[in-house]
Amino acid sequence: MFASTTALLALSIISAATAGFAAPLAKRAVTFFDPVAGGGSWLDNAGSGGEPLNVIVSGLSSPAVLTDDGIVNYARAIGFSTECFGLHSGTPQTANLGDGNGWVDQTIELRQDYGNADVGTCLESVIGGNHFRVFRQNGASANSGALFLAVSKEENVFEHHTIVSDGYNVGRNELVAAATGSHSFGGVKYVTTAQSLPNEMPSGSSGVNHGIAVDGTVVLLTVTIQ
């Protein structure tokens, strides 16, 4: 009996002593980190001004959604797809998400597919529509895994794909409306909830591409695979 009690007491002491060392090793899951806190920006770099990072796919989403293939499949579930025949015109935009990686190129650009995931984005390239660029927050100093989306609605090819009036707010709102709820593609079912974060980024047109004002709201999407 004495030996058993002594052993249990020793085990308790060891557990208590090591608990403080074990805790920091566990990665804490977060929705996202504020880019500005790490020296980043809520605007990407479009060359002459920046486009707002106005939608975030939360780091608390199902991990498979946050991969390169995962965000493409999810995009197809909500009405977007890869660019027409994989062709991209123009220089990729960059963003600094305050995670220690500095300014990095967009991961991918996805366009409204008008109901056809295979060739529908070719129509978007001609007549215009909604589209978004993806940036991943995964640097050592702020590794949330969240995907920051620069969403905007653009004019047709004859207008050189300039952003429509109020196109950043409109593009964000249309994407969120398309994403919220239950959708599926390629045998994967997604359920998406949306949370508006008013005043998360600066409002107004200062530094914004094309001088188009934004309302300062960022929408946080949490996407769960069912």
Side-chain angles (χ1 to χ4, degrees), residues 10-11 25 44 68 137 148 174 178 180 195 219:
L11 221 81
L25 300 178
D44 71 7
D68 289 356
Q137 190 177 58
F148 284 63
E174 289 188 359
T180 306
Q195 178 187 1
V219 177

Side-chain angles (χ1 to χ4, degrees), residues 69-136:
D69 290 341
I71 189 60
V72 170
N73 197 75
Y74 175 67
R76 287 172 171 157
I78 64 172
F80 294 79
S81 193
T82 51
E83 295 194 90
C84 180
F85 299 117
L87 300 175
H88 175 74
S89 61
T91 304
Q93 295 181 12
T94 61
N96 184 342
L97 301 182
D99 58 2
N101 284 339
W103 291 89
V104 297
D105 286 350
Q106 63 195 48
T107 299
I108 194 170
E109 186 169 346
L110 297 156
R111 298 182 179 277
Q112 189 173 352
D113 67 14
Y114 290 99
N116 189 318
D118 295 320
V119 297
T121 57
C122 297
L123 181 60
E124 193 278 342
S125 294
V126 176
I127 70 172
N130 216 355
H131 71 307
F132 63 92
R133 305 168 195 274
V134 181
F135 302 90
R136 180 176 287 108

Side-chain angles (χ1 to χ4, degrees), residues 23-48:
L25 300 178
K27 180 179 176 182
R28 183 182 296 275
V30 297
T31 54
F32 67 94
F33 294 103
D34 183 342
V36 175
S41 174
W42 282 105
L43 297 176
D44 71 7
N45 184 353
S48 56

Side-chain angles (χ1 to χ4, degrees), residues 106-212:
Q106 63 195 48
T107 299
I108 194 170
E109 186 169 346
L110 297 156
R111 298 182 179 277
Q112 189 173 352
D113 67 14
Y114 290 99
N116 189 318
D118 295 320
V119 297
T121 57
C122 297
L123 181 60
E124 193 278 342
S125 294
V126 176
I127 70 172
N130 216 355
H131 71 307
F132 63 92
R133 305 168 195 274
V134 181
F135 302 90
R136 180 176 287 108
Q137 190 177 58
N138 63 351
S141 61
N143 187 11
S144 68
L147 302 179
F148 284 63
L149 313 183
V151 190
S152 59
K153 188 168 185 176
E154 62 183 7
E155 301 277 8
N156 60 52
V157 66
F158 305 106
E159 297 292 336
H160 309 290
H161 290 158
T162 56
I163 307 303
V164 304
S165 176
D166 198 28
Y168 297 120
N169 295 332
V170 169
R172 175 201 62 206
N173 294 344
E174 289 188 359
L175 182 144
V176 171
T180 306
S182 179
H183 304 278
S184 62
F185 188 88
V188 184
K189 180 181 177 182
Y190 306 94
V191 173
T192 303
T193 59
Q195 178 187 1
S196 289
L197 305 174
N199 305 311
E200 188 68 28
M201 69 166 70
S203 59
S205 61
S206 178
V208 181
N209 199 25
H210 304 297
I212 298 173

